[in-house]
Amino acid sequence: MQLCRVEGTVISTRKHPSFNGWRFLICQPLDCDGRADGIPVVALDSLGAGIHQKVVVTSDGLAARRAVGDDLSPARMMTIAIVDEAEKEISRSEGATTA
Amino acid sequence: MKLGKVIGRVTLSVATPGLEGARWLLVSPFSRGNYLDSMAGEKQLSAEPTPVVYDNLGGGVHDIIGYIEGREAASPFVTPPPIDAINAALIDKFFYTPSESE
């Protein structure tokens, strides 16, 4: 699973029928310091995550197919949690010395 | 799902059974820059490898599509074909407002 920040939404009318009624959120994966890291992905959202909120995105297709209720759906990325706070115990420099 | 811009189409001459007559799109995957630049209308191709995406939604060149990679790409079929990228959505519009604050 990936810690991401919601940075946008996507509007699509012509899509796989199993996605009807689902929100698409543009989620930017974050590194351990909370900075943008990598390419944004579009995830299905049923939790109502707001813009710039941190979410946890899973790429488990089985859970996504069950959530959309269609075994023949190509659903894959999905938000499964909205993050209140993500504390990091080991800072980057400290982590480097112990590893 | 990842966004990408359709830059071409592929026509297969010989294909494994189950893939005949399918429609294939050449897609330039969006980089983070594409998300920002497309808002400003300036477009450039991404340096990443160009996936060939199975399409049954009718995506054309210059369209922005949402494609899904991995095993899930083969799940919308009764007998799953050997594909790992499928066009799942034609994107009408997207709003991208990155927050540069921490």
Side-chain angles (χ1 to χ4, degrees):
Chain A
M1 294 176 309
Q2 178 71 42
L3 181 66
C4 297
R5 182 174 45 231
V6 177
E7 289 192 343
T9 56
V10 170
I11 312 285
S12 165
T13 44
R14 182 126 175 75
K15 56 200 171 197
H16 191 273
S18 65
F19 294 158
N20 287 338
W22 280 78
R23 285 173 80 219
F24 288 127
L25 291 184
I26 299 178
C27 302
Q28 168 63 55
L30 302 176
D31 66 11
C32 57
D33 300 322
R35 279 189 304 271
D37 167 40
I39 299 170
V41 291
V42 175
L44 293 166
D45 174 64
S46 62
L47 309 175
I51 199 82
H52 299 161
Q53 262 192 322
K54 282 190 178 139
V55 289
V56 173
V57 173
T58 181
S59 62
D60 167 21
L62 186 60
R65 282 194 297 276
R66 268 204 209 111
V68 298
D70 177 358
D71 274 347
L72 296 181
S73 161
R76 183 170 184 216
M77 311 297 278
M78 190 173 71
T79 61
I80 54 169
I82 297 180
V83 176
D84 287 343
E85 200 181 328
E87 316 99 15
K88 176 165 58 71
E89 298 305 317
I90 298 178
S91 69
R92 187 181 289 273
S93 54
E94 184 191 346
T97 52
T98 52
Chain B
M1 184 164 81
K2 293 185 185 134
L3 296 193
K5 185 174 168 53
V6 178
I7 55 174
R9 289 192 41 204
V10 169
T11 307
L12 307 184
S13 60
V14 179
T16 62
L19 294 184
E20 298 89 359
R23 222 167 158 268
W24 306 94
L25 302 175
L26 267 178
V27 172
S28 164
F30 263 23
S31 63
R32 187 164 153 73
N34 285 116
Y35 277 91
L36 300 165
D37 298 342
S38 308
M39 305 296 278
E42 185 251 325
K43 313 234 179 337
Q44 89 274 17
L45 293 186
S46 103
E48 289 193 37
T50 304
V52 177
V53 175
Y54 178 90
D55 170 51
N56 59 1
L57 294 177
V61 181
H62 300 305
D63 284 355
I64 295 180
I65 65 166
Y67 63 99
I68 288 177
E69 288 178 320
R71 195 222 160 281
E72 285 73 20
S75 56
F77 298 87
V78 178
T79 58
I83 62 172
D84 71 350
I86 188 167
N87 177 12
L90 302 184
I91 304 302
D92 302 333
K93 205 163 172 34
F94 65 89
F95 304 95
Y96 185 66
T97 53
S99 82
E100 284 324 311
S101 65
E102 194 295 283

